[in-house]
């Protein structure tokens, strides 16, 4: 009898001990590559080492569109992660996915975690919030588009001043090509983001009605204006001899800059970590170029990058872990370090002020470029941001039509007219699903 009691007590003690030390796993799916992938892994490790109750498990799921599609498919199959990194153009799609997401403001309140939306930079949080200022997702790697410059190659080509306007970029591209850059005078990643979305905001031209979708899903595309057509036609003309050379729909082509092939390259400010790690030349970043004959340009740029969405249908204890992780990410010192190492924007006012007060930007002006763009002027209806449903598909349509024009298959105006028509069809399909 005594032996049985002893065994029972031991078994109970073991079960209690195991239960006490069991960690709740938090699955985080992301789309970060290269140096930024290392940042994600480090953040998870730091969080895991900072406490014993939760374990953050990270999984790379491919490029942004791949990660979004994987998350949606996983939710439908009943095995979604707790946290899904979604790029900014997926915001409307996530907002329309009823039941699939847990709003961040609601989760933080229910978990009893300290959370003040006013502590975050409004230029960033406005993108991911309701009209009432309620944060739906957690800003993570916010960026904007900048123009990366290989200063050594520009100098060799006789380009004495870094270009500020599009005509100056075209001239610099021709000089670079003449100096031996046979395959690329200048280029850009993210075809739609560069040549339609940011181009529109930077020139204070509407991409669509209803403040580019921010004021309602019943928006209509308008990016076939004379200015848009003129810009695409210039690229078509310069593509013929590779003064401009097309680099695709996403970020896979960014290595063309770090390898030295393209000495002028427009892409995300979040590319900084990879440039710093891989470029063997003197580099910098400057604001996007503009057309000086368009009145009011340059205006302000818009947010890129991604935020962290919390998926629906999880247990309260798991949401507590996610809330603790978001509080961990919001720490001022951690945010300042993350900004200074990755090139992504600081998401809190305190982290920005801390970085600025330390004199960091004086030594590293590259990291202030996107902040200067975003705050260049007070945003207008044309430059507050974008919110289009099924934007992933719309981007593919825009890129497809740009590619057709660059390949000489149709005139620039016909390509943009077709892109507008097809995009509006996609918007109407989305509008029907969220009614």
């Amino acid at each position: 009898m005594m032996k049985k009691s002893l065994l029972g007590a031991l078994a109970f003690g073991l079960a209690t001990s195991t239960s006490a030390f069991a960690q709740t796993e938090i699955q985080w799916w992301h789309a970060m590559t290269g140096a930024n992938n290392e940042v994600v892994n480090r953040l998870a490790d730091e969080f895991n080492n900072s406490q014993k109750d939760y374990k953050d498990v990270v999984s790379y799921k491919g490029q942004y569109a791949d990660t979004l599609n994987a998350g949606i498919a996983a939710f439908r199959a009943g095995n979604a992660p707790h946290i899904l990194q979604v790029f900014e153009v997926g915001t409307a799609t996530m907002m329309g996915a009823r039941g699939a997401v847990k709003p961040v403001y609601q989760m933080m309140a229910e978990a009893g975690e300290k959370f003040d939306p006013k502590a975050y930079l409004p230029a960033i949080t406005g993108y991911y919030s309701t009209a009432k200022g309620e944060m739906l997702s957690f800003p993570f790697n916010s960026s904007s588009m900048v123009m990366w410059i290989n200063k050594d190659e520009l100098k060799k080509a006789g380009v004495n001043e870094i270009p500020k306007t599009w005509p100056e970029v075209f001239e610099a591209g021709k000089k670079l090509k003449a100096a031996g850059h046979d395959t690329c005078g200048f280029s850009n990643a993210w075809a739609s983001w560069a040549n339609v979305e940011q181009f529109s905001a930077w020139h204070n031209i509407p991409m669509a009605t209803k403040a580019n979708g921010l004021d309602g899903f019943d928006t209509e595309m308008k990016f076939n204006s004379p200015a848009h057509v003129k810009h695409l036609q210039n690229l078509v003309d310069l593509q013929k001899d590779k003064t401009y050379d097309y680099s695709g729909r996403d970020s896979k082509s960014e290595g063309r800059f770090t390898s030295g092939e393209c000495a002028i390259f427009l892409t995300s400010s979040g590319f900084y970590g990879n440039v710093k790690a891989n470029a063997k030349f003197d580099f910098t970043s400057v604001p996007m170029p503009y057309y000086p004959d368009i009145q009011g340009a340059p205006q302000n740029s818009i947010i890129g990058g991604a935020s962290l969405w919390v998926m629906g249908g999880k247990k309260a204890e798991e949401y507590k872990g996610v809330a603790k992780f978001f509080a961990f990410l919001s720490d001022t010192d951690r945010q300042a370090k993350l900004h200074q190492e990755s090139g992504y924007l600081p998401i809190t006012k305190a982290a920005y002020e801390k970085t600025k007060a330390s004199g960091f930007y004086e030594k590293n002006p590259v990291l202030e470029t996107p902040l200067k763009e975003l705050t260049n002027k007070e945003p207008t209806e044309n430059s507050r941001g974008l919110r289009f449903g099924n934007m992933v598909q719309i981007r593919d349509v825009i890129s497809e039509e740009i590619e057709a024009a660059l390949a000489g298959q149709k005139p620039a105006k016909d390509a943009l007219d077709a892109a507008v028509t097809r995009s509006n069809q996609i918007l109407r399909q989305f509008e029907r699903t969220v009614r």
Side-chain angles (χ1 to χ4, degrees):
M1 184 72 180
M2 193 174 171
K3 189 175 180 181
K4 284 184 180 177
S5 299
L6 183 60
L7 285 172
L10 285 171
F12 176 77
L14 183 61
T16 305
S17 173
T18 304
S19 173
F21 291 101
Q23 287 183 306
T24 300
E25 282 199 355
I26 305 298
Q27 298 289 333
W28 175 15
W29 290 6
H30 71 91
M32 308 302 276
T33 59
N36 292 329
N37 179 62
E38 293 170 16
V39 169
V40 167
N41 290 330
R42 192 191 74 228
L43 285 171
D45 288 342
E46 288 177 359
F47 175 70
N48 293 341
N49 292 330
S50 71
Q51 45 74 50
K52 303 291 185 186
D53 297 326
Y54 305 98
K55 183 179 181 182
D56 198 338
V57 181
V58 297
S59 299
Y60 170 71
K61 292 295 176 178
Q63 292 268 322
Y64 281 135
D66 302 323
T67 302
L68 174 59
N69 291 333
I72 291 170
F75 176 77
R76 287 171 180 160
N79 58 359
H82 299 85
I83 303 170
L84 182 68
Q85 184 188 25
V86 178
F87 57 163
E88 85 288 359
V89 294
T91 300
T93 299
M94 296 301 285
M95 286 176 68
R98 292 191 186 96
V101 300
K102 179 88 168 176
V104 164
Y105 76 92
Q106 186 181 330
M107 179 198 68
M108 297 297 273
E110 290 175 1
E113 204 65 46
K114 186 181 176 184
F115 180 64
D116 179 10
K118 293 178 182 175
Y120 301 84
L121 288 171
I124 297 171
T125 56
Y127 219 102
Y128 306 115
S129 301
T130 66
K132 296 177 182 177
E134 299 162 330
M135 277 173 60
L136 299 172
S137 63
F138 185 83
F140 178 58
N141 56 307
S142 294
S143 64
S144 197
M145 178 162 278
V146 298
M147 186 163 68
W148 291 94
I149 300 291
N150 181 330
K151 293 168 76 174
D152 293 344
E153 290 304 305
L154 260 66
K155 189 176 180 181
K156 286 180 193 173
V159 180
N160 299 320
E161 290 189 14
I162 294 173
K164 292 181 180 177
T165 68
W166 275 114
E168 289 169 0
V169 170
F170 302 154
E171 286 306 308
K174 290 172 184 174
K175 287 184 178 180
L176 284 161
K177 190 172 181 303
H181 286 266
D182 298 331
T183 60
C184 177
F186 72 95
S187 190
N188 60 268
W190 302 106
S192 172
W193 191 36
N195 298 309
V196 174
E197 298 160 42
Q198 291 285 8
F199 178 87
S200 301
W202 199 228
H203 291 87
N204 196 23
I205 303 168
M207 180 176 171
T209 61
K210 294 279 179 116
N212 296 331
L214 289 172
D215 290 348
F217 288 140
D218 55 336
T219 176
E220 290 188 5
M221 294 297 191
K222 297 287 184 185
F223 58 83
N224 53 349
S225 75
H228 290 99
V229 173
K230 170 187 170 183
H231 179 59
L232 179 55
Q233 186 59 56
N234 284 333
L235 298 184
V236 168
D237 294 341
L238 295 168
Q239 174 73 58
K240 291 171 183 172
D241 70 350
K242 292 191 179 292
T243 293
Y244 169 77
D245 192 50
Y246 182 71
S247 290
R249 304 179 181 188
D250 52 32
S251 63
K252 292 190 186 86
S253 60
E254 288 175 338
R256 298 186 79 185
F257 179 74
T258 49
S259 70
E261 181 192 2
C262 298
I264 299 176
F265 199 89
L266 279 80
T267 191
S268 170
S269 57
F271 186 37
Y272 171 72
N274 286 335
V275 177
K276 184 174 68 169
N278 299 306
K280 309 299 182 194
F281 49 80
D282 188 13
F283 66 86
T284 190
S285 76
V286 295
M288 294 178 288
Y290 62 96
Y291 285 98
D293 58 337
I294 295 181
Q295 190 174 2
Q299 173 58 40
N300 64 278
S301 68
I302 53 177
I303 285 289
S307 65
L308 303 181
W309 287 81
V310 182
M311 303 303 284
K314 303 299 181 183
K315 296 175 183 175
E317 182 59 25
E318 293 169 340
Y319 283 137
K320 281 186 180 179
V322 176
K324 284 198 178 297
F325 180 55
F326 286 177
F328 168 88
L329 288 178
S330 300
D331 173 76
T332 300
D333 290 341
R334 185 163 289 106
Q335 267 300 312
K337 184 181 179 186
L338 185 61
H339 163 54
Q340 293 167 21
E341 290 181 354
S342 70
Y344 284 108
L345 306 177
I347 63 169
T348 65
K349 296 173 185 174
Y352 175 54
E353 293 303 329
K354 182 182 177 81
T355 301
K356 197 170 185 179
S358 72
F360 180 83
Y361 294 128
E362 292 164 21
K363 298 173 186 174
N364 302 274
V366 166
L367 292 184
E368 201 172 17
T369 302
L371 289 161
K372 286 181 175 178
E373 288 181 321
L374 287 163
T375 59
N376 187 56
K377 287 178 185 171
E378 193 68 29
T380 70
E381 287 213 339
N382 302 326
S383 66
R384 277 166 50 201
L386 315 172
R387 191 170 287 165
F388 304 124
N390 293 336
M391 186 58 183
V392 177
Q393 293 94 313
I394 289 172
R395 269 192 171 175
D396 280 341
V397 162
I398 293 171
S399 298
E400 197 175 289
E401 294 295 345
I402 287 174
E403 289 161 4
L406 291 171
Q409 294 169 2
K410 57 175 73 173
K413 186 176 189 313
D414 289 0
L416 291 181
D417 286 346
V420 164
T421 299
R422 293 172 64 192
S423 297
N424 281 333
Q425 290 169 352
I426 293 171
L427 286 174
R428 299 294 74 80
Q429 289 168 359
F430 177 77
E431 194 181 353
R432 285 192 292 272
T433 65
V434 296
R435 275 179 180 167

